[in-house]
Amino acid sequence: MTATRIEYHAPSTLAQAVALLEEHGHAAAPLAGGTDLVPALKHGVLQARHLVSLARIPGHREIAITADGGLSIGAFATLADVARSPLVGAVCPALAEAAVQAGSPLLRNRGTLGGNVCLDTRCWYYNQTEAWRASRPPCQKAGGQQCYVNQKQNVCVALFSADTPAVLITVGARATLAGPAGERAVPVEALYSGEGLQPLAKSGAEILTEIAVPAPPARSGTAYLKHSPRDSIDFPLLGIAAAVALSGGGTIASARIALTGARSAPCRLPELEAALAGGPVPAAGDRELAQLATRSLGALFLTDAVPHKRRLAGLMAVDAVERAAALAQGWRTR
Amino acid sequence: MKELVQLSVNGQTHDLVVRPERTLLDVLREDLGLTGSKRGCDLGACGACAVLLDGRPVSSCLTLAVEASGHEIVTVEGLARGGGLHPVQEAFVEHGAVQCGFCTPGMLITVTALLDERPEPTEAEILEALSGNLCRCTGYVKVLDAVRTAIRRMRQPGLPGSVAPEVRA
């Protein structure tokens, strides 16, 4: 039983679902797999009074190869479907790696790709029971005035911790949103505001319906590395995705690196990307590049060990690039 | 507003009126008296509440009862066949894969789903399938022994199962 009393809506079309979300505004939330929403309801941190279920809306669950050799993935597809799809494995192996490392088998059978992409930010002071949170004034994300992590600037720094978006950003995936004004497609990277309080740069009445992954360029590879306390169930303390394309001569033509679990949005590492472009494939554990990546991260506001996470991010970023490049070196014309 | 739901549980249909914020686990345990599915963490992190939803294992503590309406649900009470235990249940008993027993229903559900999908899973596939079920007693050794025995039994019914050789890597 959740802490919040709710009204349940089960529309049978996308248009009805959008209309319901628009009608109830901040009091409404879309319900897909519910694996993140239901715990938030139980904790009493999600104040939605109206749940708009997406379960009875047909479609948006298919995974297909597009005409140009990219991927089209319905946002209501479960993480289990994404993880086990041979099409995802062939076109974007890192996406399958990220999906299979999200949560546990039980959670992946319910949780959806769209839900993972739209995951709310998390914080030690927010994702707690009402009894736990009652011991102090509520934090900003829970409706109060204070951020207990970033007390100086007093701006919410809740962390974005989903696994799949980092990969989607590195491969230049686009998201289709259905809203009151019709459909629009944006780069996945543009879905995030960077703010802990409202992590998504979309209106509450917009529903994510599809993820489009472009065809991978020749001699390219992708990788996703995750660091978490346990190999299952946990959110990443840090997740790093890399997409690397090699030139004919074997140097790096382009590298895109994104990380999750360090800021309020998944973020790129542009300095590392620039340093790698045109150069040789780095060896795993290349300290110079790792230090450059760590320095480029800037300040982090975390409840856990910041220096540790910064160093780890640098090392993991270089390892992810090396792994993606190894796949690119084994590229076969398909 | 209460909602009308029709739950098919272990082959039996139940018409119920439930508040929409109640989970499938709440309704199974409190309304239908099926207390086999356990409330562990109540947040989807332990697997003790696992049930089959259309054949796939899911956390019933995170599934709203209204969302399960019209779907086929199997709980640990529905695993036994023809008056006898399911081979997976038998193997758990035989190997002492049950200590305090709290995680056992979820484990049985997960393993049954795995063997329905892959009758001859690799060692890695068994570990992966069980990676959402936490146990704080057995250390998983006897659980894995029981799974290996169940695999052999289901391949060759009537096989004694006191020794569990490694399955193929």
Side-chain angles (χ1 to χ4, degrees):
Chain A
M1 176 77 83
T2 68
T4 313
R5 287 246 153 161
I6 55 171
E7 292 294 317
Y8 176 78
H9 308 270
S12 51
T13 70
L14 206 53
Q16 288 170 359
V18 168
L20 282 162
L21 288 170
E22 194 178 24
E23 181 190 341
H24 297 291
H26 288 303
L31 169 66
T35 50
D36 195 55
L37 182 145
V38 175
L41 278 174
K42 289 185 183 191
H43 280 159
V45 287
L46 185 76
Q47 291 305 327
R49 291 283 174 277
H50 295 268
L51 290 190
V52 179
S53 169
L54 307 179
R56 286 168 184 74
I57 299 168
H60 311 293
R61 289 167 180 80
E62 299 75 20
I63 301 174
I65 299 279
T66 55
D68 70 345
L71 274 174
S72 156
I73 308 173
F76 305 175
T78 63
L79 289 164
D81 291 338
V82 173
R84 79 176 75 190
S85 161
L87 304 180
V88 175
V91 175
C92 186
L95 181 57
E97 282 171 31
V100 83
Q101 291 183 78
S104 72
L106 298 166
L107 300 173
R108 293 193 291 272
N109 280 338
R110 291 288 292 163
T112 62
L113 179 63
N116 199 242
V117 169
C118 295
L119 193 79
D120 194 10
T121 45
R122 306 179 58 79
C123 180
W124 178 253
Y125 292 92
Y126 174 76
N127 299 90
Q128 299 285 359
T129 60
E130 285 188 280
W132 191 101
R133 286 181 292 107
S135 64
R136 65 180 76 219
C139 79
Q140 279 180 17
K141 196 165 165 68
Q145 300 300 311
Q146 182 63 47
C147 173
Y148 292 107
V149 179
N150 178 9
Q151 299 198 25
K152 254 191 198 146
Q153 282 133 324
N154 202 27
V155 175
C156 171
V157 287
L159 289 180
F160 186 82
S161 307
D163 287 289
T164 58
V167 175
L168 294 171
I169 286 170
T170 58
V171 296
R174 293 175 70 78
T176 303
L177 300 161
E183 266 196 359
R184 65 184 180 116
V186 295
V188 170
E189 200 164 357
L191 275 177
Y192 303 104
S193 67
E195 293 167 16
L197 290 180
Q198 294 288 347
L200 295 174
K202 72 173 187 66
S203 103
E206 288 184 308
I207 297 170
L208 179 59
T209 57
E210 195 209 341
I211 295 289
V213 175
R219 291 185 298 277
S220 68
T222 59
Y224 178 73
L225 299 180
K226 175 173 178 169
H227 176 68
S228 57
R230 300 171 293 187
D231 284 346
S232 180
I233 302 170
D234 290 329
F235 284 102
L237 282 173
L238 204 58
I240 306 252
V244 174
L246 300 178
S247 68
T251 57
I252 292 182
S254 77
R256 287 162 65 106
I257 301 111
L259 67 147
T260 184
R263 295 191 185 288
S264 296
C267 58
R268 300 263 300 271
L269 291 177
E271 288 89 344
L272 179 62
E273 292 176 7
L276 288 164
V281 172
D286 183 316
R287 289 182 63 152
E288 211 172 307
L289 279 172
Q291 281 166 358
L292 181 144
T294 293
R295 278 197 306 274
S296 76
L297 257 181
L300 297 181
F301 299 94
L302 309 165
T303 49
D304 45 13
V306 174
H308 171 68
K309 196 176 262 200
R310 284 166 52 81
R311 271 200 303 274
L312 197 63
L315 287 164
M316 282 172 65
V318 176
D319 286 1
V321 168
E322 191 268 337
R323 261 182 63 162
L327 268 181
Q329 283 157 345
W331 179 270
R332 297 278 176 273
T333 311
R334 281 182 286 219
Chain B
M1 250 307 263
K2 289 189 174 177
E3 301 282 333
L4 270 171
V5 299
Q6 188 171 72
L7 294 182
S8 165
V9 186
N10 304 330
Q12 238 186 320
T13 304
H14 302 270
D15 291 307
L16 301 157
V17 179
V18 300
R19 289 210 53 84
E21 62 268 18
R22 296 184 71 211
T23 62
L24 178 58
L25 180 66
D26 296 334
V27 173
L28 289 172
R29 290 181 59 85
E30 295 157 15
D31 299 17
L32 301 181
L34 295 167
T35 52
S37 310
K38 298 289 179 264
R39 190 187 306 279
C41 65
D42 215 19
L43 291 169
C46 75
C49 69
V51 301
L52 299 181
L53 188 78
D54 294 337
R56 282 189 166 191
V58 303
S59 294
S60 61
C61 75
L62 297 187
T63 305
L64 297 179
V66 281
E67 292 274 282
S69 189
H71 295 274
E72 293 292 324
I73 299 147
V74 177
T75 69
V76 67
E77 290 92 342
L79 292 183
R81 300 169 180 177
L85 291 178
H86 187 285
V88 174
Q89 290 172 303
E90 272 181 356
F92 266 63
V93 173
E94 243 172 76
H95 283 279
V98 178
Q99 287 184 20
C100 88
F102 204 75
C103 73
T104 309
M107 292 259 187
L108 292 169
I109 287 287
T110 299
V111 172
T112 307
L114 170 71
L115 300 190
D116 279 347
E117 197 185 348
R118 294 178 184 275
E120 304 214 2
T122 63
E123 200 72 7
E125 284 166 345
I126 299 170
L127 293 174
E128 166 63 25
L130 281 169
S131 66
N133 294 81
L134 297 185
C135 173
R136 287 291 169 263
C137 306
T138 63
Y140 303 94
V141 172
K142 293 192 183 304
V143 171
L144 295 173
D145 286 349
V147 175
R148 293 177 198 125
T149 289
I151 292 166
R152 290 167 60 241
R153 281 268 177 73
M154 287 165 82
R155 205 170 42 209
Q156 289 175 281
L159 209 69
S162 51
V163 184
E166 291 285 312
V167 296
R168 68 197 167 86

